[in-house]
Amino acid sequence: MTTDGSKQLKSHAIPPGELLVQKFTESRAPELDSLYSTIASRLNNDFRSQRNKRRRTTGFDNRASKTRFRKKQKVGILNQTKSDESLEKSVNKASPRHIWRKKELNKNPESGFCVSGDGTKRLRTHVWHAKRFTMIKHWGFHLPVGLHGRGKGSRALLKWLENGTIIHDASYYSAVQLQGSQDSILSILSSVMSPFPSSDTEDVLSGGVYASSMLHHAGAIDSRTIAPVIYMWRPIQQPMDAESECDRTNELRRLWIWIHAAALTEGYNALKSACESQGKVNEDFASVRCISLEGQFGTLEVMGSKASQFLQKILHPVSRQVIQRFDAVNIFNFVMSEKSSCLRKCSLMGAVEEHTPCSGISSFTVNDPRALTNENTEFDSSYIDLWDAEKGLCCPVEESVLCMEKHHQRLLSFCLPDKNSADIDASTGIHSSRVCPIILIRRNKLMDSVTRWTIILPLSWVKAFWVPLVSVGARAIGLRERSWVACEARIPNFPSEFPECDSYASLTETEAAAIDKEAALRPASVKTFSVPVPPPWNCVRFAFKMNPAESKTTQTCSNESDAVAEPALPDNHIVVARSSRTLSGFLNTINGDRLPLFLHFCDKNTCLSKIIKDEKVFDQDLNMDSFLGNRCRKVCFVRVTLRAFNEGAIEDGAVVCAPRLADIKLWISGSNNKGELQVPPSSVATYFAKQDSGEWEFRVPEVPAAVESNRWPIGFITSGFVQGSKKPSAGGLCDAVLLARLRHEQWSSVPLKRRKKEIYVLTRNLRSTAYRLALATIVLEHQQEDFDYI
């Protein structure tokens, strides 16, 4: 390159081949000392790193390597290059909470519930529910109450129930197994279940359908009720004939009794005590083993108008399998067709619905619903029946393995090789399986088009079925939404509608403590008066003499004129007739066969609406004072369903009162003077008084205005109206004799053609002053038993 001479190229200095650090620092020492003194003066000789800037000091570190090391720590893999001393320190050092908690929540053992730090059990769907629902501790479990918010959403739930499917994880139900001869088991059941026939029907004994009953302590007839239960026998494979009848009674059989978690301990102890006492008293019977199967099985409830279609998408039976179907007449085998997989998939739920009656049981094995394809798995000899759970049941394949398989198939779809494909089979656990044995129970219909199914499966498989059910469109519900469904279907909810059980007392005690705690946080300016929780059930004794002029004579129980041979029961003992047989037995003890309660007419060939038109049925000259003269007699409640006559909403805990004939005429005529049917505002807060012992009692009014407006209580509401219901109804318990007295009084005042099968009653919400007219229907007049529950 040429230049004009005024500019010349500048050459860069070439650095030396070697650099002597010692000579370099000596030449730069004055500059370093000056820099050090400047920094020291600014930091006041405090060279510690500032706390708010420490996070920046690791910015140069390799984030990928740190993340990889933390992942190794999570799975328990430590650096093998560490010394023994450092290895011991790292093992003894506690892991961070988010690490060990995630490992704990992801556990899926073969049996048993995972527990929290305080010993509370968790469902296998706990993580799924905890992210979406409000959780509460009940009966030793973390259970979902409902969606977050103020407890609304019943209108949307009912629409989903009528047009879709809802599911509920009811794995807090557990089974108690009785194992022994059939006669020995029947002898035990007859002592702890009421009512229980001496010999059950053939379809129940064969294992084709389940049965319901009330479990109580063995011994006295009036012993405390424990809980409603359902029981099922292990199916019998051989055909039933006269020759095998004798062998069947002597062979070893198994019975499962399903009990709610609120009464599991009490129920198991009662059954175990009955088995032990039978072995001591009756030496002729073989001993019966009582085994608790808690933590072995999970229960999923599927309800809705499209429940069958949803189950059809999830339940795919394995091929070459004989699926046993049972009906009320016989036992037959339903063999799945192998010619068309599509036919197999579509015919499963159709065959179950066609051949399985209500309360029917179906047992079969299905494929893992998380499988990539719906192709059926070949049936092999390693199949274990769900009744043989003590032999061990295989857990489902881990989710990580299924994710690897999905990734492998994606790569194959793009014609890409997968280097880790050989490790997929090796990573599958030895005790894992891709098929699951289940028991499918067809429960009674909730409504006309709403079906109800129960899936019993191994506890380790609950999560494997739960996620696919939610993915296909089912809506999950908690305890609050479940109670709305029960009220809409007019089915009692346990334990909130079973005051005769100890579980009800424990539940209401917890609710009362929560209400008192919430009320204590409110200022006095907005604090309202307290209402009784639970309701004082024994206050219905005051209604045995409904004449207001005799209110003073009814405050105490006379020991002379009203005394009877039968001693008075304690105040906390409540008798509820759950079957026609129980109520008929109670009426026989008080000579009440002529009372207008038509339980013996409840058959398939007779309609109650026709019976009430018969003059011979109703005894108009019946003296009701003979049944109501003694306030110390036993009180027997029956369940009723109530609907508002014209207006008003009935809340949970409302009091049911006996109306006068003038009250009924006032409401029926549509008069505007309904304001007369009100409690004085000054008497609402003192209607029920809380004693020093914590119990509530009814205060008989003494003020003339309060005496005139007083209507005697005959029962209480256990489940109020559900908002958004097309036909709102409430459930309650009322005294049977008082209902018969009201019906006798109302029928006697109207012509024969104007009689109604319902009974007019008054309801009043505990924080309201107004009485509302309602129509009460006795459940046992329309069905023989009232054991079905949710």
Side-chain angles (χ1 to χ4, degrees):
M1 183 176 182
T2 59
T3 61
D4 57 354
S6 61
K7 296 181 179 180
Q8 295 183 357
L9 293 175
K10 295 182 179 179
S11 60
H12 297 282
I14 300 176
E18 294 181 359
L19 180 64
L20 300 178
V21 179
Q22 186 68 22
K23 292 183 178 180
F24 179 78
T25 53
E26 289 178 354
S27 61
R28 309 286 292 187
E31 297 178 10
L32 295 175
D33 292 338
S34 175
L35 180 62
Y36 178 81
S37 61
T38 302
I39 296 176
S41 61
R42 291 180 179 179
L43 298 179
N44 296 326
N45 292 324
D46 186 7
F47 290 94
R48 292 178 299 178
S49 60
Q50 298 181 14
R51 187 174 297 274
N52 62 336
K53 295 183 180 180
R54 286 182 182 178
R55 63 182 183 273
R56 301 178 182 177
T57 59
T58 58
F60 65 91
D61 199 358
N62 188 352
R63 294 289 182 177
S65 62
K66 289 184 64 178
T67 305
R68 187 161 51 248
F69 178 73
R70 288 178 179 176
K71 288 183 178 179
K72 292 181 179 181
Q73 282 186 326
K74 292 180 182 179
V75 297
I77 303 177
L78 300 175
N79 190 357
Q80 301 297 332
T81 60
K82 293 183 178 180
S83 60
D84 295 338
E85 183 179 358
S86 61
L87 181 62
E88 183 178 358
K89 289 182 180 179
S90 61
V91 172
N92 295 332
K93 184 179 179 181
S95 303
R97 182 179 182 273
H98 72 278
I99 293 179
W100 61 260
R101 179 174 172 80
K102 186 176 181 180
K103 291 171 57 178
E104 181 180 355
L105 294 177
N106 288 336
K107 289 181 179 179
N108 190 28
E110 182 177 331
S111 61
F113 293 99
C114 299
V115 298
S116 57
D118 58 352
T120 308
K121 304 170 188 175
R122 295 192 183 101
L123 302 177
R124 294 300 170 92
T125 58
H126 173 79
V127 177
W128 192 96
H129 280 105
K131 293 179 179 180
R132 300 165 177 86
F133 286 72
T134 301
M135 307 296 290
I136 192 174
K137 292 182 181 180
H138 260 335
W139 315 305
F141 284 88
H142 289 285
L143 298 178
V145 178
L147 297 175
H148 299 291
R150 298 180 298 170
K152 305 295 182 179
S154 58
R155 191 184 306 273
L157 174 68
L158 295 180
K159 289 182 179 179
W160 203 276
L161 182 66
E162 295 178 359
N163 303 317
T165 304
I166 59 177
I167 57 174
H168 177 72
D169 186 1
S171 298
Y172 47 87
Y173 278 85
S174 298
V176 177
Q177 177 176 287
L178 299 183
Q179 183 174 354
S181 64
Q182 178 176 304
D183 292 340
S184 301
I185 295 177
L186 289 175
S187 175
I188 293 176
L189 295 184
S190 61
S191 64
V192 295
M193 288 188 180
S194 176
F196 186 80
S198 57
S199 60
D200 217 329
T201 56
E202 292 297 333
D203 51 346
V204 175
L205 292 175
S206 63
V209 299
Y210 71 87
S212 303
S213 184
M214 296 295 294
L215 181 66
H216 62 82
H217 294 279
I221 300 178
D222 294 331
S223 58
R224 189 81 175 182
T225 305
I226 299 177
V229 297
I230 64 173
Y231 58 93
M232 59 181 69
W233 293 85
R234 182 169 188 174
I236 301 177
Q237 304 298 333
Q238 69 269 17
M240 298 180 59
D241 50 18
E243 297 179 358
S244 61
E245 182 70 21
C246 180
D247 297 337
R248 187 188 64 185
T249 57
N250 297 326
E251 69 175 352
L252 189 65
R253 299 208 60 187
R254 295 181 183 179
L255 176 78
W256 282 353
I257 303 175
W258 292 91
I259 310 176
H260 193 277
L264 178 61
T265 303
E266 184 182 4
Y268 172 72
N269 293 335
L271 290 170
K272 187 176 181 180
S273 177
C275 293
E276 294 175 354
S277 60
Q278 186 205 48
K280 297 178 182 179
V281 177
N282 299 327
E283 297 180 355
D284 298 337
F285 288 102
S287 60
V288 177
R289 295 179 57 194
C290 181
I291 306 172
S292 176
L293 301 180
E294 183 182 9
Q296 297 288 336
F297 305 110
T299 304
L300 298 180
E301 295 180 347
V302 185
M303 299 169 283
S305 59
K306 298 182 179 179
S308 301
Q309 293 86 333
F310 274 77
L311 292 179
Q312 182 178 339
K313 297 178 182 179
I314 298 299
L315 303 181
H316 302 286
V318 298
S319 60
R320 296 182 183 177
Q321 177 189 2
V322 177
I323 302 180
Q324 299 170 358
R325 296 285 183 266
F326 308 99
D327 58 12
V329 181
N330 57 9
I331 304 176
F332 63 94
N333 295 330
F334 179 81
V335 183
M336 300 302 298
S337 173
E338 297 185 6
K339 297 181 180 180
S340 173
S341 60
C342 181
L343 179 61
R344 276 198 309 271
K345 298 170 190 175
C346 299
S347 61
L348 173 61
M349 292 307 301
V352 172
E353 288 184 306
E354 180 181 356
H355 299 289
T356 304
C358 290
S359 305
I361 303 173
S362 303
S363 303
F364 47 90
T365 304
V366 296
N367 291 317
D368 191 337
R370 305 169 300 168
L372 297 177
T373 60
N374 293 331
E375 295 181 359
N376 291 337
T377 305
E378 292 295 330
F379 178 69
D380 52 17
S381 59
S382 63
Y383 166 74
I384 299 178
D385 191 5
L386 200 61
W387 285 88
D388 298 324
E390 66 274 5
K391 299 180 180 179
L393 298 173
C394 295
C395 297
V397 179
E398 295 183 1
E399 191 71 26
S400 59
V401 177
L402 296 178
C403 292
M404 292 173 61
E405 293 178 352
K406 292 179 181 179
H407 178 67
H408 175 65
Q409 286 201 359
R410 291 193 192 99
L411 294 179
L412 292 179
S413 63
F414 290 101
C415 300
L416 296 176
D418 187 7
K419 298 179 180 180
N420 299 325
S421 59
D423 300 334
I424 295 179
D425 295 336
S427 60
T428 305
I430 300 177
H431 299 288
S432 61
S433 175
R434 296 181 184 270
V435 295
C436 174
I438 67 170
I439 295 178
L440 186 62
I441 302 177
R442 185 177 184 179
R443 308 294 294 270
N444 297 329
K445 282 188 176 183
L446 297 178
M447 289 175 280
D448 293 337
S449 60
V450 178
T451 58
R452 178 185 173 198
W453 300 84
T454 298
I455 305 175
I456 302 175
L457 67 168
L459 187 61
S460 59
W461 280 84
V462 171
K463 192 175 180 180
F465 279 76
W466 180 266
V467 176
L469 279 171
V470 176
S471 301
V472 296
R475 174 173 175 174
I477 62 173
L479 297 178
R480 180 172 56 227
E481 292 88 353
R482 192 169 181 261
S483 64
W484 293 341
V485 174
C487 184
E488 179 68 13
R490 300 182 181 183
I491 299 177
N493 184 27
F494 183 82
S496 60
E497 298 189 52
F498 288 79
E500 69 271 28
C501 303
D502 290 337
S503 305
Y504 173 84
S506 302
L507 178 64
T508 53
E509 182 180 355
T510 304
E511 292 178 353
I515 293 174
D516 294 340
K517 183 179 180 180
E518 182 181 358
L521 300 177
R522 295 179 178 179
S525 59
V526 298
K527 186 178 297 186
T528 59
F529 61 89
S530 301
V531 295
V533 178
W537 295 97
N538 285 326
C539 72
V540 300
R541 297 178 184 273
F542 289 97
F544 290 169
K545 291 184 177 180
M546 298 183 186
N547 188 357
E550 301 178 357
S551 60
K552 294 183 179 181
T553 62
T554 60
Q555 293 184 19
T556 58
C557 182
S558 174
N559 294 325
E560 298 178 0
S561 60
D562 289 342
V564 291
E566 183 181 1
L569 294 176
D571 292 340
N572 59 353
H573 188 91
I574 301 174
V575 178
V576 181
R578 300 285 178 178
S579 65
S580 299
R581 181 182 303 179
T582 304
L583 184 55
S584 298
F586 165 75
L587 296 178
N588 291 333
T589 58
I590 62 173
N591 298 324
D593 298 337
R594 298 168 59 192
L595 289 176
L597 297 174
F598 307 105
L599 306 179
H600 55 287
F601 292 111
C602 294
D603 54 29
K604 297 181 180 179
N605 300 323
T606 310
C607 181
L608 181 61
S609 59
K610 297 180 180 180
I611 296 173
I612 62 178
K613 307 298 182 181
D614 189 359
E615 279 286 358
K616 300 179 181 179
V617 175
F618 178 60
D619 188 0
Q620 193 168 0
D621 298 330
L622 181 64
N623 184 15
M624 296 298 301
D625 294 337
S626 60
F627 302 101
L628 302 174
N630 179 26
R631 191 178 140 258
C632 294
R633 69 158 175 83
K634 183 193 302 184
V635 178
C636 182
F637 291 91
V638 292
R639 194 171 73 89
V640 296
T641 58
L642 299 96
R643 59 182 180 89
F645 174 74
N646 192 11
E647 59 183 12
I650 305 176
E651 298 178 355
D652 188 10
V655 58
V656 183
C657 302
R660 302 175 185 175
L661 293 178
D663 302 338
I664 301 175
K665 294 179 181 179
L666 185 66
W667 272 88
I668 295 178
S669 62
S671 175
N672 297 327
N673 298 327
K674 300 173 185 176
E676 299 177 359
L677 291 176
Q678 288 187 355
V679 178
S682 59
S683 303
V684 175
T686 60
Y687 195 80
F688 294 104
K690 191 174 185 179
Q691 304 300 311
D692 297 336
S693 60
E695 297 182 356
W696 293 79
E697 72 171 6
F698 172 72
R699 282 190 176 181
V700 179
E702 299 179 356
V703 181
V707 171
E708 179 62 26
S709 62
N710 178 55
R711 299 297 183 268
W712 298 104
I714 63 173
F716 291 91
I717 299 298
T718 55
S719 60
F721 282 1
V722 179
Q723 294 184 2
S725 176
K726 296 179 180 179
K727 296 180 179 180
S729 63
L733 296 175
C734 298
D735 181 68
V737 177
L738 294 175
L739 289 174
R741 182 221 187 252
L742 291 177
R743 173 176 281 173
H744 183 274
E745 183 183 53
Q746 295 169 13
W747 281 9
S748 301
S749 61
V750 297
L752 179 64
K753 295 182 179 180
R754 293 179 56 187
R755 292 177 183 174
K756 289 182 175 292
K757 57 184 178 181
E758 298 92 352
I759 303 174
Y760 287 107
V761 296
L762 292 177
T763 61
R764 185 181 67 83
N765 299 328
L766 295 182
R767 298 189 183 276
S768 175
T769 60
Y771 288 103
R772 303 289 185 181
L773 189 66
L775 294 170
T777 301
I778 301 176
V779 176
L780 291 180
E781 290 186 339
H782 299 269
Q783 57 191 49
Q784 292 289 340
E785 297 177 346
D786 189 24
F787 297 143
D788 195 12
Y789 67 97
I790 288 185

